[in-house]
Amino acid sequence: MPPADFDLICLGSGPAGQKAAIQAAKAGFRACVVEREPQVGGSCLLSGTIPSKALREQALRYRRMRTQATSLAVELRGDAPLSALLHGVDAVIAAQDKYLLAQLQRNGVELIRGKGVFLDAHRVEVLRLDGSRRVLHSPRVVLATGSRPRHVAAIEVDHEHIVDSDSILSLPYIPRSLLVLGSGVIACEYASIFAALGCTVTMLDKAAEPLGFLDPALRGGFLAAFRAMGGEYRGGLEVSGARFDGFSQVEVQVQGGAALASDIVFAAFGRVANLDGIGLDRLGLGISPRGTVQVNERFETTIPGIFAAGDAIGPPALACAAADQGRRAALAALGLPPPALTSLVPTGVYTIPEIACVGLSQNEAAAKKIDVLVGRADFSEVARAHIAGEPAGFLTLLCERGSARVLGVQVLGEGATELVHLGQAAIATGASADFFIEQIFNFPTMSEAYRIAAFDILKQRSQGQTAAPRCVAAAAR
C-alpha cells in the first residue's frame, strides 16, 4: 500500500467533520476535509439551522410589531417577498463560511473540494467538479456526510408548490396558506414561523399531538401558542397523496376524509443520512433500517479504521451533538484518550416560542421510580419577560425529593435555548435547588425564573418537614 497522504480523512465539512479534522490537527496529525458543496459548514449552515433561524428572528420582530404597536398600523402584505425577510442571511452564511475556512487553515487542515467515494477502507477517491479525480490514502476515515430531507413515495416534492426543508426558504412570497405534513421538530419550527408571519397554517399528522418526544407540559404549551397565532393542528390523519391543481392550489388527500387545499404544502418527514453513492457497498458496511450507520461507543463502525459521527449515525441529530461526536471519533481513531463522557445533551427546539430541556423529564423520572419535586416558574412572574414583551412561558426544575438535587430542567418561552444551559451546569455539578436561592443574580433577568422555581421546591420541602429548611424564613415565593 502506498504511504498515507493523511492521518485522518473527514468526509463532510458540517459540525462533525469540521471538529474531527480540527481535533486531529491540534493533536499534531495530518488531516483533511472533503466537501462537495461550494461552502463549508454542511446543511447546518447552507439550508438548515442558520437560514431558518434568521427567518425566525424576522418572524419574531414582525409578531412583536403586530402585538405591541399602539399608535402605528403595522401590516405585512400577503404577497411580501420572502427574500425581504431573509435579507442579510447571505451575509451571515458568508461570514460563517469565511470563519470556518479560516479555522481550518489556521489549524493546518487541508480542504479538498469534491465528492468523496470509498475505493476501499483506506482509499477515498475525490471526484472534482472539473471532472478530475484524486485518490487519498489514510488508515482512518471519519464519515460525516450529513443528511437531506426525507421524501415519501406518495408526496412528490417539486420544490415549487410542494416543498421540503431545503426548498421552503426559496419560496418567492409568503403564502396565504400552508399545509405542513408532519409533527416533528422541523415541521413545528416552520409551522410556527409562518403562523407568526400571518400565514394560515395547518399541521397534519398521524400523531395525536406534535413533538411527541417531549413531556406533555411542553407539548401543550407549544400547541397553545401555535393556536393563539391562528395555527391549527389536526392529528390522527394519514395523508395518501398531494398534487398541484395546475392553477393555484395544492390538493392533499387524507385517508378516510375530505381533501384539503392550500397554496403551498410543506413535506416535513424528517431527514435521512447522506450515505448513497459513496462506496459503502465496496466496504461491506451495512446501513440500518433507519438509513444510518451503526457505531460502537468509540464511534467506530464495523469496518476497522472507519468511524462515523453526526447525522450519519442518527439521533439526536443535533449540531451540538455532532460536533462533540466528531471530536470524540477523531480522538478514538488516533488512539488518544477521549474527554469524560457526558449524557447531558440539551435539546433546543426553535419554534415560536422556543422549547428547551436537559436532564431527566418527569416521565423518565417516573419510569426510574425516582421520587421528585417539580418547581415551576411562570414567566408572567418575571419582570424581564414583561419588559421584553414575552410574558408567556414557564421554567420547571425537577429535583430529587430528599436532597433537592437538580435532575432536569424544562423551559418554554423566548430565550429557552439560552436559559437551559444554567440548569445544565447545575445538573453537571450536582447542585441543589438551594444554589439558585443562595447565589446573587442580576435583576431584572430571565434567570430569575430559576430562583422562583427553586423557592417553589423549597416551599414543597418545608410542607413535609416540622422545621422549615434554611432560607425559607428569609424569602417567600
Side-chain angles (χ1 to χ4, degrees), residues 150 272-273 275 280 285-295 311-315:
R150 183 186 298 277
V272 60
L275 299 175
L280 296 187
L285 183 59
I287 299 176
S288 74
R290 298 190 63 178
T292 58
V293 172
Q294 295 181 334
V295 295
D311 287 1
I313 65 174

Side-chain angles (χ1 to χ4, degrees), residues 119-138:
L119 298 177
D120 56 42
H122 304 295
R123 294 186 302 152
V124 173
E125 183 179 50
V126 180
L127 312 177
R128 297 183 173 126
L129 292 177
D130 62 4
S132 63
R133 298 167 184 261
R134 177 182 175 184
V135 177
L136 309 176
H137 299 78
S138 175

Side-chain angles (χ1 to χ4, degrees), residues 178-370:
L178 177 71
L179 275 176
V180 178
L181 309 182
S183 64
V185 170
I186 296 172
C188 291
E189 288 183 350
Y190 277 111
S192 63
I193 288 170
F194 278 88
L197 290 170
C199 180
T200 300
V201 181
T202 303
M203 297 178 67
L204 305 178
D205 197 65
K206 292 182 292 185
E209 289 186 326
L211 302 171
F213 63 96
L214 295 175
D215 265 2
L218 294 177
R219 296 200 304 268
F222 165 75
L223 269 178
F226 180 56
R227 287 166 176 155
M229 292 188 293
E232 180 185 7
Y233 182 80
R234 300 182 63 177
L237 299 179
E238 187 161 355
V239 175
S240 58
R243 68 175 185 84
F244 179 56
D245 66 6
F247 180 62
S248 64
Q249 296 279 285
V250 181
E251 295 180 352
V252 175
Q253 289 78 46
V254 179
Q255 290 184 8
L260 302 173
S262 178
D263 289 352
I264 297 293
V265 167
F266 175 38
F269 302 118
R271 298 183 68 84
V272 60
N274 289 323
L275 299 175
D276 300 332
I278 60 172
L280 296 187
D281 52 335
R282 295 189 182 124
L283 305 180
L285 183 59
I287 299 176
S288 74
R290 298 190 63 178
T292 58
V293 172
Q294 295 181 334
V295 295
N296 60 20
E297 69 281 356
R298 301 175 62 248
F299 296 97
E300 189 170 20
T301 69
T302 55
I303 307 298
I306 306 295
F307 295 74
D311 287 1
I313 65 174
L318 299 169
C320 58
D324 183 68
Q325 292 167 0
R327 179 185 175 212
R328 291 175 184 275
L331 291 170
L334 298 167
L336 301 174
L341 189 62
T342 177
S343 61
L344 288 178
V345 179
T347 294
V349 184
Y350 290 86
T351 46
I352 295 177
E354 286 181 2
I355 302 170
C357 52
V358 69
L360 286 182
S361 68
Q362 293 184 51
N363 289 341
E364 289 168 337
K368 294 177 181 289
K369 294 181 169 48
I370 301 175

